[in-house]
Amino acid sequence: MTGNAPTTESTPPQWELAAPILEFDQVSFKGTGETSIRMNQFSATIRSGELVEVELERQHNPRDLVSMMLGLNPPDAGEVLYNRQDWLGIDYARHFQMRSEIGRVFAGSAWIQSLTLRDNIHLAMRHHGVSETETEEKVEHWIQRLSGHQLAKVKWALKKRPSVVEPSVLALCQLIRAMANGPRLLILERPLRFMLESLYDHFVSAIDDLRSSGTAVLFFAGDRDEYRLEFRSPVISWRIINGTMNTNGRRRP
């Protein structure tokens, strides 16, 4: 007698069924600086809607590593895929389109000092083909969403050049620039370094909403002492041991 035997296989968690956004296959990378974060045959995937948190120590600088993830620096070995496409070759049009879908908050300054902050933000979107009207709408949305009680300061700062704006407001403007175009992948390098703690909840709410719409987030965290950010679960943790990234982090329930 035969029949349909009951299966004992469980359904994979929802986040493991989502589309891969950023994939690493046996990637090795040294970087150029003494504080660069390395990879040694690193394999992992960040999927649509996932949040991966990497806790940095003071000496860590993720800038070289992130530039490698975006095809700006070549890995020493292995392959990096964004949306199932590699960064190899000279297909600049394809790479341009890929990068137009990625938002980034830099660990250091990434402003053009001769432009106002508003022109800096608009320049990035105009560069990727977003109309002026749509840019205005999107930027205004994120100004309102992220600024909280700093709203007046942010609006004042947008008319100024970066050199005359205080770091806590620059931090908000960096987030506005990174989030304004609804990125499929958002990479954050120490985004809270200068942000006021009173605005952390705005930050968490914005990140979770982007994740709900499919954005994958790689969050290089640091400099927030013991403050715990209550992101929507699950949050995946990767670790840096002896300057080298691995996936043996703690996965929160």
Side-chain angles (χ1 to χ4, degrees):
M1 180 177 178
T2 61
N4 295 327
T7 178
T8 58
E9 294 182 0
S10 59
T11 303
Q14 190 64 35
W15 67 85
E16 294 186 3
L17 299 173
I21 299 295
L22 189 64
E23 299 173 82
F24 305 95
D25 182 16
Q26 293 290 301
V27 174
S28 294
F29 178 74
K30 291 181 180 176
T32 57
E34 293 182 359
T35 58
S36 295
I37 299 170
R38 300 185 296 272
M39 285 182 170
N40 183 19
Q41 296 183 315
F42 180 84
S43 294
T45 300
I46 305 175
R47 298 178 182 277
S48 176
E50 279 190 333
L51 170 59
V52 175
E53 183 175 9
V54 184
E55 292 194 14
L56 299 177
E57 296 181 7
R58 188 170 298 277
Q59 73 273 18
H60 293 148
N61 185 348
R63 191 157 184 162
D64 278 1
L65 186 74
V66 173
S67 292
M68 182 272 290
M69 295 176 184
L70 305 184
L72 302 173
N73 294 329
D76 300 312
E79 187 175 47
V80 180
L81 299 178
Y82 166 75
N83 196 24
R84 295 283 173 87
Q85 301 181 86
D86 62 42
W87 298 104
L88 301 177
I90 55 174
D91 190 347
Y92 300 126
R94 180 169 61 86
H95 295 165
F96 180 80
Q97 177 59 38
M98 292 159 67
R99 291 194 185 99
S100 74
E101 299 174 351
I102 301 172
R104 179 178 180 182
V105 167
F106 294 81
S109 173
W111 299 108
I112 298 173
Q113 296 295 327
S114 60
L115 299 179
T116 66
L117 286 172
R118 182 178 293 278
D119 286 342
N120 266 277
I121 294 170
H122 282 218
L123 179 66
M125 298 180 72
R126 188 162 57 243
H127 185 60
H128 290 292
V130 183
S131 72
E132 194 66 25
T133 301
E134 190 177 2
T135 296
E136 289 280 359
E137 292 174 356
K138 290 182 174 182
V139 171
E140 182 62 26
H141 168 79
W142 286 104
I143 291 171
Q144 298 289 338
R145 183 73 194 271
L146 292 166
S147 301
H149 61 87
Q150 295 288 84
L151 179 61
K153 283 189 175 182
V154 169
K155 291 203 169 189
W156 173 86
L158 289 170
K159 304 173 186 174
K160 304 297 180 183
R161 295 181 180 181
S163 59
V164 301
V165 177
E166 62 184 90
S168 65
V169 179
L170 280 178
L172 285 170
C173 292
Q174 275 234 65
L175 280 175
I176 291 165
R177 181 175 59 182
M179 295 179 177
N181 202 26
R184 295 189 69 186
L185 172 64
L186 180 63
I187 301 180
L188 307 169
E189 305 168 37
R190 299 186 188 273
L192 306 181
R193 185 178 182 187
F194 296 110
M195 186 184 293
L196 300 179
E197 192 172 303
S198 55
L199 294 175
Y200 282 7
D201 288 345
H202 292 256
F203 169 75
V204 169
S205 172
I207 293 294
D208 280 343
D209 280 358
L210 284 170
R211 293 173 64 197
S212 295
S213 63
T215 300
V217 182
L218 178 56
F219 175 28
F220 289 93
D223 304 289
R224 67 169 192 268
D225 298 319
E226 297 303 318
Y227 192 95
R228 181 180 173 85
L229 301 176
E230 298 294 340
F231 291 111
R232 175 173 56 82
S233 296
V235 174
I236 299 168
S237 292
W238 294 349
R239 296 180 65 194
I240 300 173
I241 300 176
N242 296 327
T244 302
M245 182 180 291
N246 68 68
T247 59
N248 295 321
R250 176 171 55 89
R251 186 194 293 269
R252 296 177 190 165

